[in-house]
Amino acid sequence: AQTVTQSQPEMSVQEAETVTLSCTYDTSESNYYLFWYKQPPSRQMILVIRQEAYKQQNATENRFSVNFQKAAKSFSLKISDSQLGDTAMYFCAFMKHPLLTGGGNKLTFGTGTQLKVEL
Amino acid sequence: DTGVSQDPRHKITKRGQNVTFRCDPISEHNRLYWYRQTLGQGPEFLTYFQNEAQLEKSRLLSDRFSAERPKGSFSTLEIQRTEQGDSAMYLCASSLATGRTEAFFGQGTRLTVV
């Protein structure tokens, strides 16, 4: 079974600053995906960024980037130039590779980090 | 298509009553998932469908829970004889089975059992 750990229940950052959210995971799989999802107060979960484990290059999406350390089983999210709209709960999630492992696309989530962007 | 929609958004029920939730996935998505999220926790997987077939159920899905996806389109999640411990947000998500497989989530149904 897979586990995902987010050790920072809450974080805050000043607008325009940079913040890093931590995530570690445990798995015996070698092929998998990792995701960061954002859940704003309206509660709809939105995909922020995804990383395929076989890719060494860290994924980036505009102001969002990850630091993927496969050997250390670490997957942190960096948000640059933080904006008020980034205020949300952020979840790290793991998914076994659906085609290579035969599993469905089900996600295993961490407990989340509540990020508050302040003026 | 505006994404995954769930109905109702909120449901308050008395202990022992039955409740049913509905999820309409993104139209071209053949996979549909149900998750449960309690306060302060991340979502936990309950079950998923590929088309109309229910392919996996979590041990969290007790005998009081049943899910269906007739004709491979919308899905329903029914909870019979609700208990206070069933109070949670129930999230539905959908995805493609191949290619870009990331899940898109609905806004959830908040269930409160009193």
Side-chain angles (χ1 to χ4, degrees):
Chain A
Q2 287 67 231
T3 59
V4 177
T5 302
Q6 294 180 251
S7 58
Q8 305 153 313
E10 296 179 352
M11 293 191 72
S12 62
V13 63
Q14 296 293 118
E15 196 177 21
E17 297 295 307
T18 296
V19 64
T20 299
L21 280 57
S22 302
C23 172
T24 58
Y25 59 95
D26 190 26
T27 184
S28 58
E29 304 287 340
S30 56
N31 294 297
Y32 50 87
Y33 293 124
L34 294 164
F35 303 88
W36 280 97
Y37 277 89
K38 167 185 177 181
Q39 191 175 39
S42 67
R43 308 294 288 186
Q44 185 167 24
M45 200 90 68
I46 303 166
L47 177 66
V48 174
I49 198 165
R50 80 177 219 165
Q51 174 79 43
E52 292 137 359
Y54 65 87
K55 289 188 176 179
Q56 292 187 334
Q57 186 173 5
N58 289 322
T60 62
E61 287 287 342
N62 301 315
R63 299 183 294 107
F64 299 87
S65 61
V66 298
N67 183 1
F68 173 49
Q69 301 290 327
K70 190 173 183 179
K73 295 180 181 174
S74 169
F75 183 62
S76 61
L77 174 70
K78 185 171 82 171
I79 306 174
S80 304
D81 185 26
S82 296
Q83 300 175 359
L84 295 177
D86 295 333
T87 293
M89 181 73 86
Y90 287 80
F91 290 99
C92 178
F94 172 99
M95 183 179 80
K96 290 195 286 189
H97 194 296
L99 294 179
L100 298 178
T101 63
N105 303 22
K106 63 180 181 182
L107 294 160
T108 300
F109 287 88
T111 52
T113 296
Q114 178 64 53
L115 176 67
K116 184 177 181 182
V117 180
E118 300 171 328
L119 289 170
Chain B
D1 191 357
T2 56
V4 179
S5 63
Q6 293 187 245
D7 182 70
R9 294 287 309 280
H10 303 274
K11 178 71 176 179
I12 300 174
T13 190
K14 291 184 178 179
R15 189 162 47 107
Q17 297 295 303
N18 299 344
V19 294
T20 300
F21 311 140
R22 177 181 171 122
C23 171
D24 287 89
I26 293 172
S27 56
E28 62 266 30
H29 285 179
N30 47 7
R31 285 195 172 166
L32 185 149
Y33 313 82
W34 286 98
Y35 290 83
R36 182 172 69 187
Q37 185 178 20
T38 53
L39 202 60
Q41 300 295 318
E44 295 175 291
F45 170 78
L46 292 178
T47 188
Y48 91 94
F49 294 83
Q50 178 154 322
N51 301 314
E52 67 275 11
Q54 188 173 18
L55 296 186
E56 187 172 347
K57 292 192 288 187
S58 161
R59 57 179 173 78
L60 294 175
L61 213 65
S62 76
D63 292 345
R64 297 184 297 105
F65 287 70
S66 63
E68 294 182 341
R69 193 184 182 196
K71 303 178 183 178
S73 55
F74 71 92
S75 176
T76 57
L77 178 67
E78 180 183 18
I79 309 174
Q80 296 182 326
R81 305 181 303 283
T82 52
E83 302 172 355
Q84 285 190 321
D86 297 331
S87 295
M89 176 75 82
Y90 289 85
L91 297 172
C92 177
S94 69
S95 76
L96 294 169
T98 58
R100 295 288 294 192
T101 55
E102 49 263 39
F104 292 80
F105 284 80
Q107 290 187 293
T109 294
R110 166 71 68 190
L111 173 66
T112 302
V113 182
V114 298

